[in-house]
Amino acid sequence: MSGDNNNPFKIAQKQINDCADILGLKQSIREVLLRPMREFHVNFPVRMDDGTTRVFQGFRVHYNDAKGPTKGGIRFHPEETIDTVRALAAWMTWKCALLDLPLGGGKGGVICNPKELSPQELERVSRNYIKAISAFIGPEKDVPAPDVYTNPQIMAWMVDEYCSILGKNQFGVITGKPLPLGGSPGRGDATARGGMATLREAAKKVGLDLGKATMAIQGYGNAGSYAASLAESLFGTKIVAVCDSKGAVCCKDGICVQDIEQHKQATSSVKECKGTQEISNEDLLAMDVDILVLAALENTLTEKNADKVKAKIVVELANGPTTPEADEILFRKGVHVIPDFLCNAGGVTVSYFEMVQNASMYYWDEKEVHEKLDRKMTTAYDEVYEKSVKFNINMRKAAYTVAIGRVVEAMTLRGWV
Ligand code: GLU
């Protein structure tokens, strides 16, 4: 995930510096923004099914808590690195600030391959990781959530472990929980639904009729699969290509989202789904479509392939899918990029709603969550778009100026800088 050229934290730091130049921030403020405030490296033993013990390595980074408790997901990935977690924690800081949530940014990760663990081993990894970081989390300190290869069941095990350490229930320590354990209605598809709200606004700006548009989706996990069904059901957009880590498929007349869903359930891949032709993952990125959704991992569009993008709008549901070099190329080409920490902020926004509901012990219905989410996403999109036009900068730089401006304001008021 973090090759030398595309180290995500180096990229995150470059983005901070670029924004600091635009805002004319003094050196001492840059210094604070460029580094995580705290980070924890943990090694914890887990009993495997065969009776042996394996030591797993995990991280939790509190990037900046000027605006409130740090917030961000936990990734389980074989190629997780501390620099990836640092970058993701920085991006969470800007994401929460951009959506005007009273939260800071954090992130966690465990180096492991969940596909190679039994359900029992996965439960023990989840519980022991939380045990290892339990002193550093809490509803007023740091609140984890799901991310790549973690899900509501894993959050349930984690919250149970935390509550047993505490000796009482405190569901607000983690979000993205199942509904019966204090989860919020609407959290499951929140990342994709929030992204679709920003796509709707972007389409108005570029004059694209979503009912006649075509879409290719890179990545078919939680965000990518919900993006497919929501784009179809909300706007009537035609999905013409999808891919996952195992391969890509396309169909010019439109892919049946239900078929893909069933095929992925049955075979754990989108490959060889009926009614589709096989293409390469790289071909998908260069397809002649109106909308390209990036819903996988970091560094998908780089200086090597950005020039081939034909889409009018790039929807960044993943974190960090576009490198700064690719950003420049896309801007020059006139592609409208909805930057990650705006586009995928629906997840953390509904996580925040979950925290509010947990704290008040009163639960909203799904309609209320959808309405509140839509309002938050639309407001944030408008603020970013307005800045990008005013200063003639790309949408990512515009999003940075809004978000970092708010974090700096909080740090200044607190007397830190
Ligand atoms: N992992 C998601 C993200 O990257 C959600 C984080 C959260 O809900 O705290 O935004």
Side-chain angles (χ1 to χ4, degrees):
M1 268 189 277
S2 57
D4 278 356
N5 291 337
N6 289 331
N7 177 320
F9 191 46
K10 291 258 155 56
I11 291 175
Q13 288 180 316
K14 177 176 167 20
Q15 291 164 338
I16 295 165
N17 269 321
D18 287 351
C19 172
D21 290 342
I22 296 171
L23 293 176
L25 296 181
K26 59 182 182 189
Q27 191 57 27
S28 57
I29 296 180
R30 272 179 208 249
E31 296 288 322
V32 181
L33 296 173
L34 283 166
R35 291 179 185 82
M37 304 190 77
R38 284 181 290 281
E39 59 183 44
F40 308 96
H41 296 228
V42 293
N43 295 290
F44 55 93
V46 174
R47 185 64 47 85
M48 307 306 281
D49 289 347
D50 65 5
T52 59
T53 295
R54 234 177 94 184
V55 177
F56 286 82
Q57 191 180 11
F59 315 104
R60 185 76 193 165
V61 173
H62 298 173
Y63 199 84
N64 186 303
D65 62 6
K67 284 183 64 63
T70 48
K71 183 85 194 79
I74 295 168
R75 308 213 303 188
F76 284 178
H77 201 283
E79 284 156 47
E80 198 60 270
T81 68
I82 183 61
D83 272 345
T84 312
V85 180
R86 285 175 181 143
L88 290 159
W91 292 330
M92 283 309 303
T93 309
W94 322 136
K95 195 181 302 189
C96 292
L98 184 63
L99 272 288
D100 221 2
L101 309 177
L103 298 167
K107 203 82 177 193
V110 176
I111 305 172
C112 70
N113 188 352
K115 292 177 187 167
E116 287 169 5
L117 297 172
S118 73
Q120 293 73 24
E121 288 169 340
L122 188 62
E123 176 174 349
R124 290 194 289 269
V125 169
S126 307
R127 287 185 182 277
N128 292 4
Y129 170 65
I130 281 302
K131 216 187 298 178
I133 64 163
S134 62
F136 319 125
I137 61 173
E140 290 168 343
K141 227 188 252 182
D142 176 36
V143 182
D147 200 272
V148 172
Y149 295 151
T150 54
N151 57 32
Q153 175 60 73
I154 290 176
M155 298 305 114
W157 290 324
M158 288 179 169
V159 89
D160 180 68
E161 190 65 30
Y162 185 78
C163 293
S164 60
I165 292 167
L166 215 62
K168 61 178 180 183
N169 281 334
Q170 196 168 76
F171 289 170
V173 66
I174 283 173
T175 60
K177 302 179 293 289
L179 280 180
L181 290 181
S184 174
R187 179 64 183 85
D189 69 4
T191 304
R193 189 175 288 273
M196 291 303 109
T198 63
L199 170 61
R200 183 193 62 218
E201 298 309 307
K204 286 183 204 160
K205 304 293 184 201
V206 307
L208 179 69
D209 179 352
L210 289 175
K212 297 200 178 98
T214 53
M215 178 183 273
I217 303 175
Q218 182 246 3
Y220 214 73
N222 171 288
S225 60
Y226 277 123
S229 55
L230 287 171
E232 191 180 69
S233 63
L234 295 174
F235 312 131
T237 302
K238 198 196 287 178
I239 317 299
V240 293
V242 297
C243 76
D244 58 25
S245 58
K246 297 191 182 114
V249 293
C250 81
C251 176
K252 287 216 162 46
D253 299 329
I255 291 178
C256 172
V257 174
Q258 247 178 347
D259 284 351
I260 283 279
E261 216 56 64
Q262 277 166 8
H263 187 78
K264 175 98 184 170
Q265 286 276 329
T267 66
S268 77
S269 172
V270 299
K271 256 181 93 170
E272 290 165 11
C273 178
K274 68 175 179 209
T276 65
Q277 294 92 53
E278 202 172 321
I279 52 169
S280 75
N281 288 28
E282 273 298 312
D283 288 344
L284 180 142
L285 301 174
M287 270 180 77
D288 193 4
V289 287
D290 298 306
I291 304 151
L292 174 63
V293 176
L294 304 177
L297 293 170
E298 307 87 66
N299 301 330
T300 296
L301 294 182
T302 65
E303 77 273 19
K304 296 202 182 82
N305 58 8
D307 204 33
K308 299 192 188 122
V309 171
K310 298 191 189 70
K312 298 180 185 72
I313 302 176
V314 170
V315 176
E316 292 189 341
L317 286 180
N319 288 308
T322 307
T323 64
E325 295 78 18
D327 255 339
E328 296 301 326
I329 297 169
L330 296 172
F331 190 54
R332 273 204 305 274
K333 281 167 65 91
V335 179
H336 185 92
V337 177
I338 313 174
D340 52 1
F341 69 88
L342 166 63
C343 187
N344 69 32
V348 73
T349 300
V350 178
S351 275
Y352 161 63
F353 296 159
E354 185 173 329
M355 290 174 72
V356 172
Q357 293 169 83
N358 292 155
S360 65
M361 294 278 276
Y362 181 77
Y363 287 82
W364 315 340
D365 61 26
E366 195 172 61
K367 187 163 167 280
E368 191 171 352
V369 171
H370 287 171
E371 283 166 5
K372 286 189 161 75
L373 171 64
D374 203 290
R375 222 171 304 138
K376 277 275 184 204
M377 298 302 300
T378 307
T379 304
Y381 179 90
D382 286 346
E383 282 167 335
V384 173
Y385 185 78
E386 197 186 301
K387 273 263 163 29
S388 83
V389 172
K390 191 164 163 200
F391 298 112
N392 190 30
I393 49 179
N394 70 33
M395 288 285 283
R396 189 178 328 274
K397 286 193 173 141
Y400 262 99
T401 61
V402 177
I404 288 196
R406 287 183 185 151
V407 174
V408 170
E409 187 186 23
M411 294 199 304
T412 309
L413 287 166
R414 292 180 74 149
W416 292 1
V417 289

